[in-house]
Amino acid sequence: MSGLTPPIRRENKKEITDSNRLDPVADRRAARPFTLWREVLVAYLAPALMAGAGGVASGQSGLTMAAFTSIAGTSAVVALLIGSWLQRRGRSRPWTTALPRVMWRQFLPSEPL
């Protein structure tokens, strides 16, 4: 058998493959709609667990405390801001063109780095 053959699933002792299924896409899971709270939760938990584990492994209590407060909190806030911006991105005037050019000159370097 070749490694390119799709796995065979059996239902009621009958082999079900894409070729003999009536509707090949019918039983595939539909894409979940975007929910901001899930993204923010993952953005909080991922750095909190990794940095917390690093703090515990190295014996640094300050890193362990910072992992669940400032490190993960900052990540969650950034995910919340970017996620809410992406949900509203259909606006007619994006925030990049709404700011005056003087404001952009303060944030962008005048010479290439």
Side-chain angles (χ1 to χ4, degrees), residues 1-7:
M1 293 203 110
S2 170
L4 299 176
T5 306

Side-chain angles (χ1 to χ4, degrees), residues 10-87:
R10 298 180 188 276
E11 290 179 2
N12 298 330
K13 297 184 181 182
K14 181 182 175 189
E15 293 180 352
I16 303 296
T17 61
D18 280 338
S19 59
N20 68 357
R21 187 179 301 135
L22 294 176
D23 189 5
V25 186
D27 70 333
R28 293 188 185 150
R29 207 164 123 189
R32 289 183 179 173
F34 178 78
T35 52
L36 187 58
W37 69 268
R38 274 191 224 137
E39 302 298 325
V40 172
L41 181 67
V42 170
Y44 178 84
L45 287 177
L49 293 175
M50 298 305 336
V56 169
S58 64
Q60 298 177 13
S61 62
L63 178 59
T64 306
M65 180 61 96
F68 294 98
T69 55
S70 60
I71 295 171
T74 302
S75 177
V77 167
V78 169
L80 179 68
L81 291 173
I82 292 174
S84 60
W85 176 68
L86 286 173
Q87 282 184 328

